[in-house]
Amino acid sequence: MAAQNIINSIEFARKALEIHGTIPVSQFPRLQDAYASADGALNWRLLGNVNDGKPTLQLKVSGDLGLTCQRCLEAMSYNIDISTLYYLVPDEDAIPSEEEDLDDRDYLVAETHMQVSELIEDEVLLAMPLAPKHEQEDCAVKGDRLELGKPNPFAVLQGLKSGKHRD
Ligand SMILES: [Zn+2]
């Protein structure tokens, strides 16, 4: 059973606390909805800290997801490796606009009862490709035929060439 990790984010940062765990992807409903075959488990670590007098949270998530390649529809493994530093702010109004945010930081509204698994799921969804695909050389479907919806003459030519090619 994965515990529901709920933290007081400001306190967590100021005390420089640290928690970590492993979550099966089956506990991420939105990820499962978007990537029906999402499988596997993700390791995560959350570190509190204070940077320049400002409370921060650093989230690290890593692991391999089992997805379906959108080109050949076969299984593929997708590696997740995320590290994000959030500056905690009291409310949405305290988040600087893009022009003001010269350091291009990530901000997070502080909560007294923040559910860590939701933050992890948000980050993973942001990091996911819209249509996960094998690398071209690993994919069962060669060329871009499925994506273009009609045969790409160039890809057909390449297929002919690689059929005869021997090294
Ligand atoms: Zn593929």
Side-chain angles (χ1 to χ4, degrees):
M1 296 285 121
Q4 297 273 26
N5 281 294
I6 294 175
I7 63 163
N8 177 332
S9 41
I10 294 271
E11 187 186 82
F12 192 92
R14 294 218 181 280
K15 291 186 176 172
L17 299 177
E18 178 179 341
I19 49 174
H20 60 92
T22 302
I23 307 186
V25 177
S26 56
Q27 291 195 9
F28 294 128
R30 284 176 292 154
L31 191 65
Q32 290 251 292
D33 281 354
Y35 301 93
S37 70
D39 203 357
L42 295 171
N43 299 312
W44 60 272
R45 182 176 293 273
L46 189 71
L47 303 126
N49 209 342
V50 178
N51 285 297
D52 299 333
K54 297 186 176 71
T56 61
L57 295 179
Q58 182 162 33
L59 177 68
K60 296 181 179 191
V61 185
S62 63
D64 288 310
L65 297 183
L67 302 176
T68 301
C69 169
Q70 295 306 300
R71 190 158 40 208
C72 68
L73 303 181
E74 292 193 12
M76 64 174 280
S77 174
Y78 187 78
N79 180 256
I80 291 278
D81 190 5
I82 301 168
S83 177
T84 306
L85 182 70
Y86 306 96
Y87 283 78
L88 294 172
V89 291
D91 52 52
E92 302 241 346
D93 293 340
I95 298 176
S97 69
E98 257 178 66
E99 300 87 74
E100 291 167 347
D101 183 21
L102 300 175
D103 297 318
D104 198 22
R105 291 170 169 168
D106 288 305
Y107 295 89
L108 191 65
V109 174
E111 292 176 61
T112 49
H113 292 81
M114 190 188 86
Q115 193 149 340
V116 178
S117 64
E118 281 191 13
L119 182 66
I120 296 170
E121 189 174 17
D122 285 346
E123 265 319 301
V124 172
L125 281 168
L126 278 175
M128 295 296 284
L130 276 179
K133 294 186 199 103
H134 288 119
E135 294 295 327
Q136 191 86 25
E137 62 268 28
D138 300 330
C139 193
V141 176
K142 302 299 175 195
D144 292 329
R145 277 167 288 172
L146 286 186
E147 283 170 286
L148 294 174
K150 60 178 180 182
N152 175 341
F154 201 72
V156 171
L157 242 165
Q158 281 194 322
L160 286 175
K161 263 162 71 183
S162 64
K164 288 179 191 160
H165 189 77
R166 272 170 235 268
D167 264 308

